[in-house]
Amino acid sequence: MSPLAIFHRLAHDTYSSLLLSMVPLSLFPSDKCSILLVIYDFNALFNLDFVVNVFSSVERPNLLSFSVLKLGVLSFTSSLKSQVRSFKASTSEDTITRISLWWEQARAVVAVPVFKFLVALCLIMSVMLFVEMMYMGLVVAYIKLFKRKPEKVYKWEAMEEDDVECGSESFPMVLVQIPMYNEKEVCEQSIAAACKISWPSNRIIIQVLDDSTDPASKELVKKECERWSKEGVNITFEIRDNRKGYKAGALREGMKHSYVKQCDYVAIFDADFQPEPDFLFRTVPFLIHNPKLALVQGRWEFVNAGQCMMTRLQEMSLSYHFMVEQQVGSSTFAFFGFNGTAGVWRISALNESGGWNDQTTVEDMDLAVRATLRGWKLLYLDDLKVKSELPCSFNALRSQQHRWTCGPANLFRKMAGKIIRSENVSLWKKLYMLYSFFFMRKLVAHVLSFCFYCVILPATVLFPEVTVPKWAAFYLPSLITLLIALGRLRSIHLLAFWVLFENAMSLVRTKALVMGLFETGRVQEWVVTEKLGDGLKTKLIAQAPEEHHVRFRDRVHLLELLVGAYLLFCGWYDIIYGKQTLFLYLLFQSMGFFVVGFGYVGKYVAASSS
């Protein structure tokens, strides 16, 4: 029944009951009846139960009249309540029907077309990423097959190591910089490794740049420098009053000292890096014999890769980065992103490019781009390995990944125009820098991992009208994963865990990417990655019984839990209503997000005193 008909019937029943009840009211005095009628009519609109109660205050001439009147009122109130309930039920059903119709129209006209567009966009990005990775795979295969080693591409002559003890003046002057910040766990081994580098003692300067705010760390670094100085090593201990510019600021201040003017090259090692004694003998000759070469970069090797599952998975990703991405950039266009450590710069190229920029969290990549725009070339040596340490704390990894994603995105925003306008870079090199290096690897790869595999693909179970081809949902991701696994074959049995972990980490990276592109939030935040050094195993064993004291709220990450709940809902929806087998992936991926969201990944160690 329509609402209009209900109102018509409601009015009819109201006045019918009122006329019926007015017969016994004539037995009452006129003033009482008028009061009763007013109350009666008022309660017909607002409070029906009050009508019956009013009779207790009305003077009744006889019981029969009152009973008749009471029956009339009760008949009226019962009829009115019944009509109101019918009206409410009809209105509620009508509202639900209207909402349902509105949603179906909006779904057909807006939601489904938009969703189809997003799926198509993700499919295009998937193909683009696959083509990019196939291209890099072919380049690496060509390098390996035809043995295109850097020694054959660039001029290179071995330096006579016999001249080291003689202090030959033919050796160029090299500065070794070691920036530190509260690094008491690793300072001794990193300083020792730098001091043991094979090079004439009068042709090398070890410069320790200590920004520590922890007095114990600063004192330990100072004593270690004094100890090596007494053994005849040319080592300096430099501090400053503030941490302006963080690592970039420390490196820039270190280059201002007067003794640096006599140096030709500068090698940089983070506090957890341990170069081999022959590091300079394998890198400096390239710089000596190739005047347009600005940088020689080595590969990272991880001493704690087997510490836990999280470090093993990190090793897989970083091994692909070095073995494929860095090698392809170096071999094809002599450009790649400097990794900030384990590299040697020509000081003249560094100064010509503007020196260290502290207005970015990726000062290393920023310098590499600016040097390339000046016409300088960069060289990566895949067989030159330098020992380093992976973060085994999940919070440390999150901070590191945030910086490594936010920084390049922000750098792309700032440098894209300069790359396009540069006159020292060829058109193909510009295309490589903008498309392959920045757009595909720093933007598309992160967006696709999260938006497609963690948001859009799961939502297809809610939109049966939208289908994702099997080649995009399964075959392409599988091939891409296998290509990445080639970087570390000994961990190929962990491939499924790597996929789940990388997708879970893609949330952090996508959030950081948005911050970097739009310069919001923590775009300039610098958090030093926690390092544990040689005492790693002892420290973890000693603190294992105390791990349960870690506060629960410090482990929980709400966004990861929300995405996990979304994937779990989509998985169960697919089981109940769907006709696909996507629920297998959705349920496992939701578990991955829950594990990460509750912080049950990596190792938890007590924070340092800093």
Side-chain angles (χ1 to χ4, degrees):
M1 182 180 296
S2 68
L4 185 61
I6 292 176
F7 274 114
H8 287 174
R9 182 174 178 181
L10 182 64
H12 175 270
D13 290 349
T14 299
Y15 286 104
S16 298
S17 300
L18 181 61
L19 291 174
L20 177 64
S21 60
M22 285 179 65
V23 175
L25 281 174
S26 62
L27 301 175
F28 290 92
S30 60
D31 55 339
K32 298 290 185 179
C33 288
S34 61
I35 294 174
L36 190 61
L37 284 172
V38 171
I39 296 174
Y40 189 29
D41 185 63
F42 180 82
N43 280 273
L45 297 176
F46 295 95
N47 190 359
L48 304 177
D49 294 329
F50 182 76
V51 177
V52 177
N53 296 332
V54 76
F55 289 111
S56 61
S57 61
V58 178
E59 185 178 348
R60 293 168 290 182
N62 57 68
L63 184 60
L64 180 60
S65 300
F66 176 75
S67 298
V68 173
L69 178 61
K70 185 175 181 179
L71 288 174
V73 172
L74 290 176
S75 174
F76 164 73
T77 56
S78 177
S79 175
L80 186 60
K81 285 184 178 181
S82 176
Q83 298 300 328
V84 169
R85 283 195 297 267
S86 175
F87 171 72
K88 287 182 178 180
S90 177
T91 304
S92 177
E93 292 176 0
D94 187 64
T95 302
I96 294 174
T97 302
R98 287 172 178 265
I99 293 175
S100 178
L101 291 175
W102 175 85
W103 165 243
E104 290 298 329
Q105 292 175 354
R107 177 190 178 98
V109 177
V110 179
V112 171
V114 169
F115 197 64
K116 286 183 177 180
F117 170 77
L118 293 176
V119 170
L121 186 62
C122 289
L123 296 184
I124 294 173
M125 289 192 295
S126 297
V127 174
M128 292 168 61
L129 184 62
F130 176 73
V131 171
E132 174 70 16
M133 298 190 72
M134 285 298 296
Y135 156 73
M136 292 190 293
L138 291 174
V139 172
V140 172
Y142 172 80
I143 294 172
K144 299 295 183 182
L145 184 63
F146 293 94
K147 298 181 180 180
R148 298 283 295 174
K149 293 184 177 181
E151 290 83 355
K152 295 182 178 181
V153 178
Y154 293 88
K155 295 180 181 179
W156 186 86
E157 292 182 10
M159 302 183 71
E160 296 295 333
E161 296 190 33
D162 295 338
D163 293 337
V164 172
E165 299 300 329
C166 302
S168 173
E169 294 298 324
S170 63
F171 281 78
M173 196 73 179
V174 178
L175 173 70
V176 178
Q177 289 185 315
I178 310 176
M180 291 190 173
Y181 174 71
N182 297 336
E183 313 277 7
K184 62 183 180 181
E185 290 85 2
V186 295
C187 66
E188 295 180 353
Q189 63 193 38
S190 61
I191 293 175
C195 292
K196 292 178 182 178
I197 292 178
S198 180
W199 204 255
S201 58
N202 65 333
R203 309 300 294 171
I204 186 172
I205 302 174
I206 310 296
Q207 185 186 66
V208 179
L209 306 169
D210 191 15
D211 275 356
S212 298
T213 55
D214 175 32
S217 297
K218 184 172 293 186
E219 185 64 23
L220 182 61
V221 174
K222 183 178 180 181
K223 288 183 178 179
E224 190 67 14
C225 292
E226 291 174 350
R227 183 175 75 85
W228 282 101
S229 179
K230 291 178 181 179
E231 295 186 14
V233 177
N234 189 3
I235 185 171
T236 64
F237 175 69
E238 307 290 353
I239 59 174
R240 54 182 183 151
D241 298 331
N242 57 71
R243 291 191 64 219
K244 182 181 179 181
Y246 305 107
K247 178 183 175 181
L251 294 172
R252 188 181 60 243
E253 289 297 317
M255 297 297 294
K256 294 180 179 179
H257 293 282
S258 58
Y259 56 81
V260 177
K261 295 180 181 179
Q262 59 182 316
C263 298
D264 302 296
Y265 310 109
V266 54
I268 303 166
F269 300 102
D270 282 352
D272 58 322
F273 278 70
Q274 304 172 49
E276 296 295 330
D278 65 344
F279 181 84
L280 293 181
F281 277 100
R282 299 185 61 182
T283 55
V284 172
F286 285 103
L287 296 169
I288 293 176
H289 299 290
N290 299 275
K292 293 303 294 180
L293 204 56
L295 165 71
V296 179
Q297 165 81 57
R299 175 176 176 171
W300 298 1
E301 185 179 43
F302 310 107
V303 297
N304 67 330
Q307 183 62 43
C308 61
M309 176 69 76
M310 191 181 78
T311 54
R312 294 288 296 274
L313 301 179
Q314 289 179 73
E315 184 191 31
M316 293 177 65
S317 299
L318 289 173
S319 295
Y320 177 82
H321 165 71
F322 283 103
M323 191 186 81
V324 178
E325 294 179 347
Q326 296 293 75
Q327 192 165 201
V328 168
S330 175
S331 302
T332 54
F333 295 100
F335 167 77
F336 55 89
F338 175 45
N339 295 114
T341 179
V344 184
W345 276 92
R346 187 187 302 272
I347 292 181
S348 60
L350 192 153
N351 293 333
E352 182 184 323
S353 303
W356 296 104
N357 177 18
D358 60 7
Q359 298 302 310
T360 175
T361 57
V362 283
E363 73 291 331
D364 42 16
M365 186 182 296
D366 172 75
L367 179 58
V369 172
R370 286 186 284 114
T372 301
L373 297 184
R374 288 278 183 172
W376 292 96
K377 295 181 179 181
L378 314 180
L379 174 62
Y380 166 75
L381 302 178
D382 190 60
D383 58 351
L384 177 60
K385 299 179 181 179
V386 182
K387 294 178 181 178
S388 63
E389 183 181 313
L390 289 166
C392 60
S393 162
F394 182 62
N395 287 333
L397 177 62
R398 280 173 60 92
S399 299
Q400 183 192 72
Q401 293 299 309
H402 173 88
R403 187 173 75 249
W404 285 2
T405 307
C406 180
N410 188 246
L411 186 64
F412 176 65
R413 170 193 173 105
K414 295 177 178 178
M415 300 298 292
K418 295 180 180 179
I419 294 174
I420 294 173
R421 295 189 299 269
S422 176
E423 298 178 356
N424 298 318
V425 181
S426 66
L427 178 61
W428 287 109
K429 195 168 185 176
K430 289 180 182 180
L431 182 62
Y432 174 80
M433 293 175 70
L434 291 172
Y435 177 77
S436 295
F437 182 77
F438 276 113
F439 183 68
M440 291 305 303
R441 301 180 206 168
K442 310 303 180 185
L443 303 182
V444 171
H446 301 315
V447 171
L448 190 65
S449 295
F450 178 69
C451 294
F452 184 48
Y453 297 112
C454 300
V455 177
I456 295 177
L457 184 61
T460 57
V461 302
L462 307 176
F463 293 86
E465 305 93 331
V466 182
T467 58
V468 177
K470 287 186 178 180
W471 60 264
F474 178 74
Y475 297 119
L476 273 190
S478 300
L479 290 174
I480 291 174
T481 303
L482 288 174
L483 288 173
I484 293 175
L486 295 177
R488 184 59 62 176
L489 288 175
R490 70 183 183 90
S491 299
I492 196 169
H493 61 287
L494 301 175
L495 212 52
F497 296 101
W498 179 84
V499 171
L500 298 178
F501 181 71
E502 282 295 300
N503 285 344
M505 288 301 299
S506 67
L507 173 59
V508 176
R509 296 178 183 130
T510 303
K511 180 182 175 183
L513 187 148
V514 173
M515 289 183 179
L517 281 179
F518 298 99
E519 292 191 334
T520 61
R522 303 178 295 154
V523 66
Q524 297 295 342
E525 182 183 51
W526 178 280
V527 179
V528 177
T529 305
E530 180 185 19
K531 307 171 186 73
L532 300 178
D534 289 336
L536 176 65
K537 294 181 180 179
T538 304
K539 188 172 183 179
L540 288 175
I541 293 173
Q543 292 175 352
E546 300 178 3
E547 187 167 343
H548 63 278
H549 293 302
V550 178
R551 290 184 301 179
F552 181 74
R553 64 181 181 181
D554 292 337
R555 306 181 69 126
V556 172
H557 305 285
L558 183 59
L559 287 179
E560 280 82 354
L561 294 179
L562 292 176
V563 176
Y566 163 73
L567 292 171
L568 183 63
F569 168 77
C570 292
W572 279 108
Y573 188 94
D574 190 38
I575 291 175
I576 298 173
Y577 301 105
K579 298 180 181 180
Q580 308 179 44
T581 56
L582 196 59
F583 66 89
L584 294 173
Y585 160 73
L586 296 176
L587 296 180
F588 278 112
Q589 188 61 72
S590 68
M591 290 173 59
F593 271 96
F594 284 133
V595 169
V596 170
F598 284 114
Y600 292 108
V601 61
K603 296 286 185 180
Y604 275 83
V605 294
S608 60
S609 58
S610 60

